[in-house]
């Protein structure tokens, strides 16, 4: 790889992106002393009790089965705030539009932003629009930043964790929080979003009856925290489940064991991955969360999640272990295989 | 103008951009009930005491005399928070990079972000990086969002206003706050940034010894609020001084009178505007603020601003009036002319 220029893989949510962030971004921008600073590389940051999140959406195409860039932007940023234990409250939208972009398409996107924000209980309260000349951008990109505040059930939730742990050393749901014995819940099918996007991508398109399920996860998070015992949450976007579990393992210093037969995946998605040569564990997802829960409360949290519309296919897919320090999958045919952190997401521009 | 597609002018900070925001953005995204909501179209929003700001920087070229896209992004977003009466505290940086972008250039930008953040007393505490394929973006764009909190001198400042007004109906420094008799201070030379950019733009380039002066305005704001009596602040970016004053006039319902001979402008910039056919009042600026102050405190605030490095060329350039409801300039040759709101900024992609 040419070492002197930025490549697609540096934004693709895997090993190379992590190196890029450590070697470049953190080299210049660490040391804030914020409550949850940049260096933690969690899904959101926290300053003085305020959760702050920024994400730019460059998805291609901008309209795809089941969703669009507007819904994706709201749901994606809202979910990253939820994952750390916040209730998202206000969004800031930065639009960059290529000259010649149809107003009809813009209205569809804005309507979708509005509708999704309403589902998530947030408002866009500020923003900015830039227009660049034709050829300087591929249609439209959206930055969705936002703020949130401590979730109303977060203290209760951490209290439940503390009860089983004999105390805790965290105030937010960080990647580093997982400990041996914690159970890992996945809230729904993996791969839908990436496969839906691929099915309509120029030069790849194929016929499949799969829709992207980008959605705000407020209800799932509310129910899980209401039960209590959640130690960490993260959405398996770029780099998929494989990347997420490796990040948790790296940051906590513990291993993770998952069971292949427990991972919710649709037959059509499994089949599509087969003929496209893609590993479903590495595909980016939207509208899904991975939730680590103290063992004693795992079944109860699972039941609460299954009671929600978006969480009805939730499963306990594995657990944290101190037997090793990496991610291992017990396969259906009876063996064990290491699940490595992907180099990058095999499907670019999924969010 | 083709009514069905987005044009450059819709992002150019003038009449057309205002129409675009009202007809499209606000149609879908108003009604938040935030303390300072989207509908106010002020430089920042406020939710529950937290000031939230988003701005995306698409400046071209990304390196230019005196500054670069990194410095511009930090200073621009910090200044918009300062203008409403906040102390900026934390930034969220969304990078979108074109594949093939040199790491050397990226490091220059990140170093500049870091240095400018340090000048402004803020940290980048979170962010996101997306990489898109070659041709899908012109090099790099940066979204800089951020949060701030009520300025330590804001209550004192508003107290001073209230003393001379017999009370006030505002808690933040909003565009709508200006009243007849208020004096208008401009903190430095206009036109430098736009002319510096133009001088190095492909196909336009000319030789001129002007540098962009994009800078965080913390010191000027601190000094002005410490004196007290400030009713509104705004930075004359896209659409320049002409757009800013028209926005204040529209939102307050009062007129504004300015004096041509009081407006600080360098001879070289005036000359460049002459041969390029540009109106310096319509050129976008960086590192400058326009500050409305109650008459009784105007000279004192001016002196305080002149005591700062960036504010040493500050002038009182005019005042708010109830004689008419638009912006009028008393010209050097003795006449009066209406200063219309520009259609858009004559120089695209200046920020």
């Amino acid at each position: 790889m040419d070492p002197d220029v930025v490549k697609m893989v540096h934004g693709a949510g895997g090993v190379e992106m992590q190196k890029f962030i450590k070697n470049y971004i953190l080299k210049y921008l660490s040391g804030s002393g914020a409550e949850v600073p940049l260096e933690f590389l969690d899904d959101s940051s926290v300053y003085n009790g305020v959760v702050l999140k920024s994400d730019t959406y460059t998805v291609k195409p901008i309209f795809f089965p089941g969703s669009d860039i507007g819904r994706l932007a709201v749901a994606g940023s809202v979910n990253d705030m939820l994952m750390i234990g916040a209730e998202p409250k206000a969004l800031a939208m930065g639009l960059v539009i290529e000259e010649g972009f149809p107003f009809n398409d813009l209205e569809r996107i804005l309507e979708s932003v509005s509708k999704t924000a309403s589902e998530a209980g947030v408002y866009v309260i500020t923003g900015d629009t830039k227009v660049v000349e034709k050829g300087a951008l591929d249609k439209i990109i959206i930055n969705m930043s936002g703020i949130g505040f401590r979730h109303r059930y977060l203290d209760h939730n951490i209290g439940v964790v503390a009860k089983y742990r004999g105390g805790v050393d965290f105030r937010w749901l960080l990647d580093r929080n997982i400990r041996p014995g914690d159970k890992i819940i996945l809230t729904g099918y993996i791969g839908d979003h990436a496969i839906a996007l691929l099915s309509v991508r120029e030069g790849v398109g194929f016929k499949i009856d799969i829709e992207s399920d980008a959605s705000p996860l407020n209800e799932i998070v509310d129910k899980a925290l209401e039960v209590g015992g959640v130690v960490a949450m993260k959405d398996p976007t770029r780099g998929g489940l494989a990347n997420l579990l490796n990040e948790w393992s790296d940051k906590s210093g513990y291993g993770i064991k998952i069971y292949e037969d427990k991972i919710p995946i649709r037959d059509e998605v499994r089949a599509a991955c087969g003929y496209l040569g893609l590993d479903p564990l590495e595909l980016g997802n939207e509208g899904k969360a991975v939730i680590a829960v103290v063992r004693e409360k795992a079944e109860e949290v699972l039941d609460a999640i299954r009671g929600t519309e978006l969480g009805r296919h939730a499963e306990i897919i594995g657990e944290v272990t101190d037997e090793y320090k990496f991610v291992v999958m017990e396969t259906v045919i009876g063996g064990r295989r290491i699940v490595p952190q992907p180099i990058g997401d095999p499907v670019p521009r999924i969010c």
Side-chain angles (χ1 to χ4, degrees), chain A residues 71 203 223 234 253 257:
Chain A
R71 181 170 182 81
K223 295 292 180 194
K234 199 175 184 73
K257 186 191 321 189

Side-chain angles (χ1 to χ4, degrees), chain A residues 32-73:
Chain A
S32 68
E35 206 173 329
V36 177
L38 188 60
E39 299 88 291
F40 283 16
L41 301 178
D42 267 273
D43 287 351
S44 289
S45 59
V46 186
Y47 179 89
N48 208 15
V50 182
V51 172
L52 176 63
K53 170 69 199 166
S54 169
D55 224 332
T56 312
Y57 297 85
T58 60
V59 67
K60 181 178 183 170
I62 55 175
F63 299 105
F64 45 91
S67 192
D68 60 75
I69 190 172
R71 181 170 182 81
L72 195 65

Side-chain angles (χ1 to χ4, degrees), chain A residues 228-240:
Chain A
V230 173
V231 299
M233 298 195 281
K234 199 175 184 73
D235 51 348
T237 54
R238 283 178 283 177

Side-chain angles (χ1 to χ4, degrees), chain A residues 48-223:
Chain A
N48 208 15
V50 182
V51 172
L52 176 63
K53 170 69 199 166
S54 169
D55 224 332
T56 312
Y57 297 85
T58 60
V59 67
K60 181 178 183 170
I62 55 175
F63 299 105
F64 45 91
S67 192
D68 60 75
I69 190 172
R71 181 170 182 81
L72 195 65
V74 174
S77 291
V78 157
N79 289 345
D80 277 342
M81 288 189 269
L82 286 166
M83 293 300 102
I84 202 167
E87 294 188 56
K89 288 297 180 186
L91 298 175
M93 180 176 72
L95 296 176
V96 187
I97 308 174
E98 184 188 22
E99 187 183 22
F101 190 75
F103 272 118
N104 280 346
D105 287 351
L106 184 65
E107 291 213 63
R108 274 178 72 187
I109 293 168
L110 292 172
E111 196 172 357
S112 180
V113 165
S114 169
K115 186 177 158 293
T116 315
S118 164
E119 275 177 53
V122 297
Y123 280 94
V124 174
I125 67 165
T126 187
D128 167 57
T129 302
K130 294 281 158 68
V131 183
V132 296
E133 65 277 16
K134 227 174 163 57
L137 178 70
D138 184 10
K139 295 190 176 75
I140 186 170
I141 64 179
I142 302 181
N143 178 279
M144 197 65 83
S145 295
I147 54 172
F149 301 90
R150 209 165 172 76
H151 194 287
R152 63 193 181 283
Y153 297 138
L154 184 56
D155 287 331
H156 157 72
N157 171 77
I158 292 179
V160 174
V161 177
K163 184 178 147 193
Y164 293 102
R165 293 261 166 99
V168 292
D169 59 352
F170 58 83
R171 278 180 47 79
W172 297 94
L173 304 179
L174 305 179
D175 295 342
R176 57 175 65 180
N177 293 352
I178 62 167
R179 294 290 175 271
D182 292 344
K183 297 288 185 183
I184 292 174
I185 296 172
L186 173 60
T187 63
Y189 293 123
I190 57 168
D192 291 10
H193 174 69
I195 295 298
L197 260 183
L198 267 185
S199 75
V200 291
R201 197 161 281 177
E202 277 169 54
V204 186
F206 49 89
K207 274 209 176 344
I208 191 166
D209 196 21
I210 292 288
E211 297 206 325
S212 165
D213 37 16
S215 290
L217 293 167
N218 303 59
E219 196 191 358
I220 285 180
V221 171
D222 293 353
K223 295 292 180 194

